[in-house]
Amino acid sequence: MQTNLQHFLSQHTKPNQRLLLGLSGGLDSCVLLHLLAQARATIPFDLQAMHVHHGISPNADSWGTFCQAQCAALNVPLTIVRVQLDEQSKLGLEGQARQLRYDALFNNALQADFVLSAHHQDDQAETLLLQLFRGAGLKGLASMAAADERRRLLRPLLNVPRSSLEAYAKQHGISWCEDESNSNTQYERNFIRHDVLPLLSTRNPAIKQALARTAAHAAEASDLLNDLAALDAAHLLANNSLCTQGLAALDEARAKNALRWWLAKQEVSMPSADALSEMHQQLMTAKADANINISLQLKNQQAIMLKRYQQRAYLVKPVVTASFDLVWSGEAQLALPNGGTLVFSQVQGSGLALKLGMSKLRISQRNGGENFKPNVLRPTRTLKHLLQEANMPPWQRENLPLVYWQDTLAYVPGIGISHELQAAPHEDGLQIDWQS
């Protein structure tokens, strides 16, 4: 097992990187702690551990004390993070505890290059059955990956059965904590572990290995679907939006595959199959002037809206439109009441001409009736006409910050700078960028 771990680490990590182990105190994480501590003798890396204290069990404090003792004996620094569960959370107890654990491991000041989890082959088999019960697609059936590079998450024991971990622990005198909730079959995973898998094993003793192999096949197929979606969507993407006309040219299965891929790339929690079909139907068949607003949720639980404008689909964070009238006096950034930010930087040959004395600027929202002339060769026109001509989506226009110098409309994001205030070539200028 030690040799396999060293080979895994040599494949996925570089010398002297920081590894952070999620240490629950259970069998699997205690064995991995021991294996990693021994591996430091042959592979140079910085090892730290983190124990997430959920406070659910009456034994939670003793588990933290146990983890401290284990780490101290192996000279591994340990951080204990206490989290508070929300009884009203829609994720449920198990889902919320898992989410808080990953949040603690990935969002901390330890700056690890990789987070290590001690999931093993039995966990993989249980996860596959859970996903089957929920009617998951290929991505769900792929279950867990041994190396999740996007999240910087490694699971070096994923191909190791729990029985091998128990044998290793007994051989090396490793003790561990038993979570009393693991025997409660009211939890789905425990029901699968204690009732379903033992029954299946009476017919096929190698069922766990077979299920883990199926998960690997599903992962390969899911990767191929992602590759196909990337090819299909390559010419449909622009400015973080998706062309619905191009999407309609694909058959329904490939269109939904491309839509699913795009949502995943934007960190959106995946909607159900029915919700995805309804989303595809609305994007394809709604009238050109229809106001499409589909509520979705990001993986960090924040709300986001799917909207359509001129045959393009957009993901838009909800914004409360607020009146504002601000003064800029040289700051590098200026936060706006609607959640956007204006970023200011000095450049040469573009932007607002600093020679005119751009020490103070006024920023306010649109009131209607503004006129603007960014191009000296074209006549002054209404700002409404210019925004429509620029194909700026309506929800961006509603929160558009206008920058004034004295009483002159000087800069409009997405449109440009008033022609008489533009810096000439080789002149110092003030560049303004709107981050909505």
Side-chain angles (χ1 to χ4, degrees):
M1 197 178 299
Q2 183 65 251
T3 302
N4 290 338
L5 175 69
Q6 292 177 6
H7 178 68
F8 180 90
L9 292 177
S10 66
Q11 280 188 314
H12 299 290
T13 67
K14 297 178 182 178
N16 301 314
Q17 286 189 319
R18 285 187 172 186
L19 307 184
L20 177 62
L21 169 65
L23 182 65
S24 67
L27 167 69
D28 44 5
S29 63
C30 284
V31 168
L32 185 53
L33 173 68
H34 186 274
L35 288 166
L36 289 168
Q38 303 304 314
R40 289 179 301 184
T42 53
I43 301 177
F45 60 85
D46 177 36
L47 177 61
Q48 300 184 56
M50 178 180 288
H51 175 74
V52 179
H53 188 302
H54 295 103
I56 303 173
S57 168
N59 299 312
D61 288 339
S62 63
W63 295 341
T65 302
F66 172 81
C67 289
Q68 284 179 320
Q70 295 295 307
C71 288
L74 295 170
N75 194 28
V76 175
L78 173 70
T79 300
I80 296 180
V81 176
R82 292 177 177 265
V83 296
Q84 187 70 40
L85 275 75
D86 179 8
E87 294 181 0
Q88 306 301 320
S89 174
K90 296 179 181 179
L91 293 174
L93 190 64
E94 285 182 286
Q96 190 183 174
R98 181 172 56 252
Q99 182 67 52
L100 289 172
R101 183 166 60 252
Y102 278 121
D103 287 347
L105 286 166
F106 287 105
N107 304 320
N108 60 76
L110 300 178
Q111 297 181 334
D113 294 293
F114 289 99
V115 169
L116 273 68
S117 170
H119 289 105
H120 47 76
Q121 190 179 78
D122 293 41
D123 294 324
Q124 184 78 309
E126 293 163 9
T127 300
L128 176 63
L129 287 177
L130 279 170
Q131 297 290 5
L132 281 171
F133 290 176
R134 295 166 185 165
L138 274 176
K139 185 174 177 60
L141 297 180
S143 304
M144 297 177 285
D148 187 338
E149 295 182 4
R150 183 183 62 82
R151 299 169 67 195
R152 298 177 295 106
L153 174 62
L154 301 178
R155 299 182 177 97
L157 302 180
L158 199 57
N159 293 321
V160 180
R162 191 180 193 279
S163 57
S164 296
L165 298 180
E166 289 180 344
Y168 182 92
K170 291 176 182 177
Q171 180 184 352
H172 293 86
I174 299 172
S175 55
W176 65 89
C177 301
E178 289 287 357
D179 185 343
E180 70 281 354
S181 70
N182 285 341
S183 60
N184 185 353
T185 54
Q186 288 185 340
Y187 296 125
E188 261 192 320
R189 183 176 289 273
N190 290 342
F191 169 66
I192 289 172
R193 179 179 301 164
H194 297 298
D195 294 346
V196 177
L197 277 172
L199 178 62
L200 295 177
S201 296
T202 60
R203 182 60 61 93
N204 179 4
I207 188 64
K208 294 173 184 176
Q209 296 94 313
L211 290 172
R213 190 164 59 249
T214 297
H217 294 328
E220 288 183 1
S222 179
D223 287 344
L224 288 174
L225 283 180
N226 281 336
D227 290 342
L228 176 62
L231 289 172
D232 285 340
H235 66 288
L236 308 181
L237 297 172
N239 299 324
N240 211 28
S241 65
L242 189 68
C243 174
T244 56
Q245 190 175 26
L247 206 62
L250 301 171
D251 64 59
E252 184 176 347
R254 286 178 66 167
K256 288 196 291 187
N257 184 52
L259 186 58
R260 189 184 297 110
W261 173 86
W262 179 60
L263 293 174
K265 294 284 282 185
Q266 306 302 316
E267 296 292 319
V268 174
S269 294
M270 200 54 56
S272 67
D274 288 344
L276 189 74
S277 294
E278 175 63 23
M279 186 186 306
H280 172 259
Q281 184 73 8
Q282 287 196 44
L283 289 173
M284 296 300 102
T285 62
K287 294 180 180 179
D289 58 351
N291 186 22
I292 293 179
N293 282 295
I294 300 175
S295 297
L296 297 170
Q297 194 174 58
L298 296 173
K299 290 181 179 178
N300 62 9
Q301 307 301 307
Q302 291 183 355
I304 197 162
M305 303 295 295
L306 178 72
K307 295 175 178 281
R308 189 190 65 177
Y309 176 66
Q310 293 193 346
Q311 297 183 332
R312 299 202 71 84
Y314 295 83
L315 288 169
V316 183
K317 293 180 181 179
V319 174
V320 177
T321 302
S323 298
F324 56 91
D325 199 347
L326 309 175
V327 175
W328 174 80
S329 301
E331 303 93 326
Q333 295 187 2
L334 186 65
L336 303 174
N338 59 18
T341 303
L342 288 175
V343 179
F344 302 82
S345 58
Q346 186 170 328
V347 295
Q348 193 172 49
S350 63
L352 292 169
L354 287 173
K355 69 177 183 180
L356 299 175
M358 300 288 172
S359 58
K360 284 188 181 294
L361 299 170
R362 183 170 64 86
I363 296 98
S364 68
Q365 80 285 357
R366 291 177 61 203
N367 293 316
E370 297 91 354
N371 295 310
F372 195 50
K373 184 178 180 179
N375 189 335
V376 69
L377 300 178
R378 302 189 68 182
T380 300
R381 289 182 290 172
T382 65
L383 183 55
K384 178 181 179 180
H385 180 83
L386 290 170
L387 293 172
Q388 290 175 342
E389 187 179 71
N391 293 325
M392 183 177 289
W395 56 88
Q396 289 186 7
R397 298 179 220 161
E398 293 170 3
N399 296 287
L400 191 68
L402 305 183
V403 180
Y404 290 84
W405 177 68
Q406 298 177 358
D407 292 327
T408 302
L409 180 54
Y411 168 71
V412 179
I415 302 300
I417 296 169
S418 180
H419 72 96
E420 73 268 30
L421 303 180
Q422 295 172 6
H426 310 300
E427 285 185 348
D428 290 336
L430 179 66
Q431 180 174 300
I432 308 174
D433 295 305
W434 177 39
Q435 298 177 355
S436 58

mmCIF file of all heavy atoms in Angstrom, residues 352-353 355-356 358 372-376 380 405 408-410 417-423:
data_model
loop_
_atom_site.group_PDB
_atom_site.id
_atom_site.type_symbol
_atom_site.label_atom_id
_atom_site.label_comp_id
_atom_site.label_asym_id
_atom_site.label_seq_id
_atom_site.Cartn_x
_atom_site.Cartn_y
_atom_site.Cartn_z
ATOM 1 N N LEU A 352 -9.585 58.884 -20.738
ATOM 2 C CA LEU A 352 -9.875 60.306 -20.541
ATOM 3 C C LEU A 352 -8.571 61.088 -20.449
ATOM 4 O O LEU A 352 -7.643 60.675 -19.738
ATOM 5 C CB LEU A 352 -10.679 60.504 -19.254
ATOM 6 C CG LEU A 352 -12.117 59.962 -19.244
ATOM 7 C CD1 LEU A 352 -12.688 59.992 -17.831
ATOM 8 C CD2 LEU A 352 -12.993 60.769 -20.180
ATOM 9 N N ALA A 353 -8.498 62.208 -21.148
ATOM 10 C CA ALA A 353 -7.263 63.008 -21.182
ATOM 11 C C ALA A 353 -6.994 63.618 -19.815
ATOM 12 O O ALA A 353 -7.736 64.490 -19.347
ATOM 13 C CB ALA A 353 -7.375 64.092 -22.247
ATOM 14 N N LYS A 355 -4.718 65.622 -18.995
ATOM 15 C CA LYS A 355 -4.267 67.016 -19.084
ATOM 16 C C LYS A 355 -5.416 67.990 -18.795
ATOM 17 O O LYS A 355 -5.175 69.163 -18.470
ATOM 18 C CB LYS A 355 -3.677 67.296 -20.468
ATOM 19 C CG LYS A 355 -4.702 67.301 -21.595
ATOM 20 C CD LYS A 355 -4.083 67.645 -22.930
ATOM 21 C CE LYS A 355 -5.139 67.711 -24.042
ATOM 22 N NZ LYS A 355 -4.533 68.046 -25.353
ATOM 23 N N LEU A 356 -6.663 67.501 -18.898
ATOM 24 C CA LEU A 356 -7.818 68.362 -18.645
ATOM 25 C C LEU A 356 -8.125 68.506 -17.155
ATOM 26 O O LEU A 356 -8.979 69.303 -16.771
ATOM 27 C CB LEU A 356 -9.054 67.824 -19.388
ATOM 28 C CG LEU A 356 -8.926 67.753 -20.923
ATOM 29 C CD1 LEU A 356 -10.163 67.101 -21.524
ATOM 30 C CD2 LEU A 356 -8.730 69.145 -21.503
ATOM 31 N N MET A 358 -8.510 65.582 -14.626
ATOM 32 C CA MET A 358 -9.506 64.586 -14.224
ATOM 33 C C MET A 358 -9.303 64.155 -12.775
ATOM 34 O O MET A 358 -9.146 62.979 -12.460
ATOM 35 C CB MET A 358 -9.427 63.368 -15.155
ATOM 36 C CG MET A 358 -9.688 63.678 -16.614
ATOM 37 S SD MET A 358 -11.440 64.027 -16.888
ATOM 38 C CE MET A 358 -11.404 64.592 -18.601
ATOM 39 N N PHE A 372 -25.084 61.591 -26.241
ATOM 40 C CA PHE A 372 -23.661 61.256 -26.151
ATOM 41 C C PHE A 372 -23.054 61.224 -27.547
ATOM 42 O O PHE A 372 -23.725 60.858 -28.520
ATOM 43 C CB PHE A 372 -23.510 59.891 -25.463
ATOM 44 C CG PHE A 372 -22.121 59.567 -24.987
ATOM 45 C CD1 PHE A 372 -21.396 60.468 -24.215
ATOM 46 C CD2 PHE A 372 -21.540 58.347 -25.298
ATOM 47 C CE1 PHE A 372 -20.126 60.164 -23.762
ATOM 48 C CE2 PHE A 372 -20.279 58.024 -24.848
ATOM 49 C CZ PHE A 372 -19.560 58.937 -24.081
ATOM 50 N N LYS A 373 -21.778 61.627 -27.621
ATOM 51 C CA LYS A 373 -21.078 61.628 -28.910
ATOM 52 C C LYS A 373 -19.661 61.077 -28.707
ATOM 53 O O LYS A 373 -18.716 61.825 -28.483
ATOM 54 C CB LYS A 373 -21.022 63.037 -29.501
ATOM 55 C CG LYS A 373 -20.396 63.081 -30.900
ATOM 56 C CD LYS A 373 -20.401 64.484 -31.481
ATOM 57 C CE LYS A 373 -19.775 64.505 -32.872
ATOM 58 N NZ LYS A 373 -19.784 65.853 -33.494
ATOM 59 N N PRO A 374 -19.481 59.764 -28.812
ATOM 60 C CA PRO A 374 -18.143 59.198 -28.653
ATOM 61 C C PRO A 374 -17.285 59.304 -29.913
ATOM 62 O O PRO A 374 -16.061 59.213 -29.835
ATOM 63 C CB PRO A 374 -18.425 57.733 -28.301
ATOM 64 C CG PRO A 374 -19.739 57.451 -28.960
ATOM 65 C CD PRO A 374 -20.517 58.722 -28.914
ATOM 66 N N ASN A 375 -17.905 59.463 -31.058
ATOM 67 C CA ASN A 375 -17.184 59.491 -32.340
ATOM 68 C C ASN A 375 -17.352 60.867 -32.970
ATOM 69 O O ASN A 375 -18.465 61.298 -33.278
ATOM 70 C CB ASN A 375 -17.735 58.400 -33.270
ATOM 71 C CG ASN A 375 -16.891 58.228 -34.525
ATOM 72 O OD1 ASN A 375 -16.200 59.158 -34.954
ATOM 73 N ND2 ASN A 375 -16.958 57.042 -35.115
ATOM 74 N N VAL A 376 -16.215 61.554 -33.178
ATOM 75 C CA VAL A 376 -16.266 62.916 -33.710
ATOM 76 C C VAL A 376 -16.842 62.952 -35.117
ATOM 77 O O VAL A 376 -17.364 63.992 -35.556
ATOM 78 C CB VAL A 376 -14.850 63.548 -33.680
ATOM 79 C CG1 VAL A 376 -13.928 62.855 -34.695
ATOM 80 C CG2 VAL A 376 -14.906 65.039 -33.935
ATOM 81 N N THR A 380 -24.218 63.585 -32.604
ATOM 82 C CA THR A 380 -24.667 63.282 -31.246
ATOM 83 C C THR A 380 -25.984 62.512 -31.315
ATOM 84 O O THR A 380 -26.884 62.861 -32.083
ATOM 85 C CB THR A 380 -24.874 64.581 -30.450
ATOM 86 O OG1 THR A 380 -23.637 65.289 -30.397
ATOM 87 C CG2 THR A 380 -25.363 64.288 -29.040
ATOM 88 N N TRP A 405 -17.591 64.373 -16.139
ATOM 89 C CA TRP A 405 -16.538 65.334 -15.793
ATOM 90 C C TRP A 405 -17.177 66.713 -15.859
ATOM 91 O O TRP A 405 -17.661 67.129 -16.926
ATOM 92 C CB TRP A 405 -15.354 65.227 -16.755
ATOM 93 C CG TRP A 405 -14.275 66.241 -16.479
ATOM 94 C CD1 TRP A 405 -13.456 66.279 -15.398
ATOM 95 C CD2 TRP A 405 -13.909 67.349 -17.313
ATOM 96 N NE1 TRP A 405 -12.600 67.334 -15.484
ATOM 97 C CE2 TRP A 405 -12.850 68.021 -16.658
ATOM 98 C CE3 TRP A 405 -14.370 67.834 -18.540
ATOM 99 C CZ2 TRP A 405 -12.240 69.159 -17.192
ATOM 100 C CZ3 TRP A 405 -13.766 68.970 -19.071
ATOM 101 C CH2 TRP A 405 -12.712 69.611 -18.393
ATOM 102 N N THR A 408 -20.275 67.342 -18.112
ATOM 103 C CA THR A 408 -20.216 66.616 -19.389
ATOM 104 C C THR A 408 -20.219 65.108 -19.158
ATOM 105 O O THR A 408 -19.447 64.603 -18.334
ATOM 106 C CB THR A 408 -18.946 67.002 -20.172
ATOM 107 O OG1 THR A 408 -18.934 68.407 -20.394
ATOM 108 C CG2 THR A 408 -18.885 66.271 -21.506
ATOM 109 N N LEU A 409 -21.095 64.406 -19.879
ATOM 110 C CA LEU A 409 -21.071 62.941 -19.839
ATOM 111 C C LEU A 409 -19.778 62.493 -20.509
ATOM 112 O O LEU A 409 -19.607 62.623 -21.722
ATOM 113 C CB LEU A 409 -22.293 62.374 -20.563
ATOM 114 C CG LEU A 409 -22.417 60.847 -20.606
ATOM 115 C CD1 LEU A 409 -22.353 60.233 -19.212
ATOM 116 C CD2 LEU A 409 -23.700 60.429 -21.318
ATOM 117 N N ALA A 410 -18.846 61.965 -19.701
ATOM 118 C CA ALA A 410 -17.489 61.697 -20.182
ATOM 119 C C ALA A 410 -17.279 60.261 -20.642
ATOM 120 O O ALA A 410 -16.561 60.016 -21.616
ATOM 121 C CB ALA A 410 -16.487 62.037 -19.074
ATOM 122 N N ILE A 417 -15.789 56.976 -24.808
ATOM 123 C CA ILE A 417 -15.468 58.254 -24.177
ATOM 124 C C ILE A 417 -15.952 59.391 -25.061
ATOM 125 O O ILE A 417 -15.883 59.302 -26.297
ATOM 126 C CB ILE A 417 -13.942 58.365 -23.954
ATOM 127 C CG1 ILE A 417 -13.487 57.281 -22.973
ATOM 128 C CG2 ILE A 417 -13.528 59.745 -23.453
ATOM 129 C CD1 ILE A 417 -11.991 57.136 -22.886
ATOM 130 N N SER A 418 -16.455 60.429 -24.434
ATOM 131 C CA SER A 418 -16.870 61.607 -25.196
ATOM 132 C C SER A 418 -15.716 62.089 -26.060
ATOM 133 O O SER A 418 -14.569 62.187 -25.601
ATOM 134 C CB SER A 418 -17.304 62.715 -24.232
ATOM 135 O OG SER A 418 -17.714 63.856 -24.954
ATOM 136 N N HIS A 419 -15.996 62.385 -27.338
ATOM 137 C CA HIS A 419 -14.932 62.636 -28.322
ATOM 138 C C HIS A 419 -13.998 63.770 -27.904
ATOM 139 O O HIS A 419 -12.787 63.728 -28.155
ATOM 140 C CB HIS A 419 -15.554 62.932 -29.694
ATOM 141 C CG HIS A 419 -16.220 64.275 -29.776
ATOM 142 N ND1 HIS A 419 -15.594 65.386 -30.279
ATOM 143 C CD2 HIS A 419 -17.478 64.663 -29.409
ATOM 144 C CE1 HIS A 419 -16.422 66.418 -30.214
ATOM 145 N NE2 HIS A 419 -17.571 66.001 -29.703
ATOM 146 N N GLU A 420 -14.537 64.802 -27.227
ATOM 147 C CA GLU A 420 -13.687 65.946 -26.902
ATOM 148 C C GLU A 420 -12.833 65.725 -25.661
ATOM 149 O O GLU A 420 -11.964 66.546 -25.328
ATOM 150 C CB GLU A 420 -14.534 67.207 -26.717
ATOM 151 C CG GLU A 420 -15.353 67.266 -25.447
ATOM 152 C CD GLU A 420 -16.745 66.720 -25.603
ATOM 153 O OE1 GLU A 420 -16.913 65.809 -26.454
ATOM 154 O OE2 GLU A 420 -17.656 67.184 -24.892
ATOM 155 N N LEU A 421 -13.026 64.599 -24.963
ATOM 156 C CA LEU A 421 -12.268 64.316 -23.739
ATOM 157 C C LEU A 421 -11.282 63.169 -23.909
ATOM 158 O O LEU A 421 -10.610 62.776 -22.948
ATOM 159 C CB LEU A 421 -13.233 63.980 -22.590
ATOM 160 C CG LEU A 421 -14.286 65.046 -22.244
ATOM 161 C CD1 LEU A 421 -15.157 64.556 -21.100
ATOM 162 C CD2 LEU A 421 -13.618 66.367 -21.895
ATOM 163 N N GLN A 422 -11.162 62.623 -25.110
ATOM 164 C CA GLN A 422 -10.290 61.468 -25.339
ATOM 165 C C GLN A 422 -8.826 61.880 -25.372
ATOM 166 O O GLN A 422 -8.478 62.911 -25.964
ATOM 167 C CB GLN A 422 -10.667 60.787 -26.661
ATOM 168 C CG GLN A 422 -12.058 60.173 -26.654
ATOM 169 C CD GLN A 422 -12.487 59.669 -28.024
ATOM 170 O OE1 GLN A 422 -11.695 59.671 -28.955
ATOM 171 N NE2 GLN A 422 -13.744 59.261 -28.149
ATOM 172 N N ALA A 423 -7.975 61.073 -24.720
ATOM 173 C CA ALA A 423 -6.530 61.334 -24.742
ATOM 174 C C ALA A 423 -5.992 61.064 -26.139
ATOM 175 O O ALA A 423 -6.352 60.070 -26.781
ATOM 176 C CB ALA A 423 -5.829 60.448 -23.725
#
